[in-house]
Amino acid sequence: MPGSTPPGTTPDRGWWRGAAIYQVYLRSFADGNGDGTGDLAGLRSRLQYLADLGVDAIWLNPWYPSPMADGGYDVADYRSIEPVFGTLAEAEKLIEEAHDLGIRTIVDVVPNHASDQHAWFREALAAGPGSEARERFWFRPGVGDGPPNGWQSIFGGPAWTQVPDGEWYLHLFAPEQPDFNWNNPAVREEFLDVLRFWFDRGVDGVRIDSAAVLVKDLDSVEESYTDHDGVHDIYREWRRVSDSYGGRILIGEVWLPDQDRFANYLRADELHTAFNFDFLSSAWEPAALRASIDLTLATHLSLDAPATWVLSNHDVARPVTRYGRAVTSWDNADRRDGMPSDLELGRRRARAAALLAMALPGSVYVYQGEELGLNEVEDIPEELIDDPMWERSGHTVRGRDGCRVPLPWSGDEPPFGYSTGTPWLPQPASWRDLTVEAQQEDPESMLRLYRSALRLRRRLLGDGTIAWLPLGDEVLAFVRDSGLICVVNLGSAPVDLPAHDSVLLASGPLADGRLPSDTAVWLTPLS
Ligand code: NOJ
């Protein structure tokens, strides 16, 4: 496999331990055929952009055939490619071309649920109550006129839908996403085979969707599906498959507030890494961030697992918008839609946050558009909202489309070089200043900051440890193994920098050699 081993990472310890992983939301990355939806042709034509950015791997959201009831997280066939995105042959070419540029590919596997158009679900509907085909899902008779129990869907409304013969099936998400029954050996065998299918095609890793909710206790009156112990047997089996290929990794989407429970997923014979949602959710406040960093590092150190640092993804409001609000923490249950945001302040903080995340030991994720400093788009016309949360919440939650708007590449007006057609979600006119084209010539731009940081990170950072420097309660400052010092000022007044040799990179201008509020800096140590 061409490409470098990320910094601070010895080859035998694993490439993922210090990797920078770029999340490609394929639908919105680049459109190669002018139908307004991003696709593999578009991505392949822009791979050099990602190589220039300096990322080690890409993670693609689901690219499988799908009715798109939940943006592709409703998978109709786990071994093929959605025709709107391209073909399996193109996917194989993408994997190869990315490898040639030193970029590894990670695919999204969705084991909790399928699409209601998946062959097994259609078979189950046709086969009727009591059939083996229904055993692969959770079909139950109702209680009286109602569903089997009162469980609610994560997208709102009941988690059960009734079929014409009277039975109900469970869906933790939209009704178009029936949950698999993981007690069924056929389901387990099927996913082991899906893993092999993609590893055989050269993918380097798998991101596991909703990884903690696969095992359910339907006899419980309370909702009982999060983090059952039985889920770990599943990932031990998965790990045996990934180990048999060597160097292929398993990444868990595990939203669990309890760090001890979270840590269980990272045991040596389970997943390689899991997203750090504690860090993502933290307020832009020094004590909260420091507590999150300390907790993360302590948890991972005890397991010898690499930490991950995540600021955004396709499910949460863009950091520029989040950090400009009066409440800067993130909460899935309260998305704070429409809460006013000072975008200038938010962008300054997002720049500082990027240098903080990239300086910490472990791997880092960059969600497409984060490197351009895109804001959340909060004025998508209601008739264009695609996220199932909108319908399922009775039009009270606008959902996640605002962070999924197609990227601006070039030009002065939409579609900003993204497509020759009409983008599936409208781009704001204000993004004319945020296109890749506009930013690459501007040394002060977010894109240039990300490029510089990712380059330096490759050389000087990656996996390892930190030692905190005592610079006061409002400042986060630490030294990395290479000697690089990272200082972030979260207070309201400028602060003095610690003794250093030179300034390697700063998220904003210094003020007479002092570090202003909401600014981060990377320093080389005194020699
Ligand atoms: C988590 C994914 O990130 C999200 O986009 C999706 O809606 C749910 N899982 C259900 O698959």
Side-chain angles (χ1 to χ4, degrees), residues 20 37 118 145 163 217 259 317 429 455 469 496 504 524:
T37 298
H118 188 281
D145 288 341
V163 300
D217 176 7
Q259 281 285 307
R455 268 192 175 60
L469 296 176
D496 289 328
L504 270 179
T524 55

Side-chain angles (χ1 to χ4, degrees), residues 21-169:
I21 300 171
Y22 186 93
Q23 181 189 350
V24 176
Y25 194 72
L26 194 53
R27 276 175 116 184
S28 299
F29 187 75
D31 173 19
N33 66 359
D35 66 359
T37 298
D39 50 32
L40 288 170
L43 172 57
R44 286 172 62 204
S45 74
R46 304 275 186 185
L47 274 180
Q48 190 60 49
Y49 167 77
L50 297 175
D52 293 344
L53 186 59
V55 299
D56 304 298
I58 49 176
W59 147 38
L60 292 107
N61 291 94
W63 55 3
Y64 317 104
S66 167
M68 296 282 158
D70 180 21
Y73 283 94
D74 45 323
V75 180
D77 177 357
Y78 289 83
R79 296 182 185 77
S80 184
I81 297 291
E82 163 60 39
V84 170
F85 294 150
T87 63
L88 187 55
E90 281 181 278
E92 288 172 348
K93 282 203 188 104
L94 166 81
I95 295 166
E96 196 182 307
E97 289 162 1
H99 277 170
D100 289 344
L101 290 170
I103 298 174
R104 292 175 160 94
T105 299
I106 294 162
V107 296
D108 211 317
V109 168
V110 187
N112 180 65
H113 45 268
S115 159
D116 60 356
Q117 298 307 308
H118 188 281
W120 280 9
F121 192 72
R122 289 154 64 131
E123 202 187 312
L125 286 185
S131 61
E132 254 183 58
R134 286 211 174 177
E135 281 303 308
R136 297 172 184 147
F137 299 91
W138 292 108
F139 279 89
R140 289 286 183 277
V143 174
D145 288 341
N149 63 29
W151 292 16
Q152 294 295 296
S153 145
I154 291 164
F155 288 159
W160 294 93
T161 290
Q162 195 170 26
V163 300
D165 57 46
E167 280 205 326
W168 300 71
Y169 67 89

Side-chain angles (χ1 to χ4, degrees), residues 70 73 113 155 173 207 209-210 253 314-315 400 404:
D70 180 21
Y73 283 94
H113 45 268
F155 288 159
F173 295 92
R207 178 262 189 193
D209 186 66
S210 304
E253 191 214 9
H314 64 293
D315 291 329
R400 303 159 293 177
R404 299 173 174 182

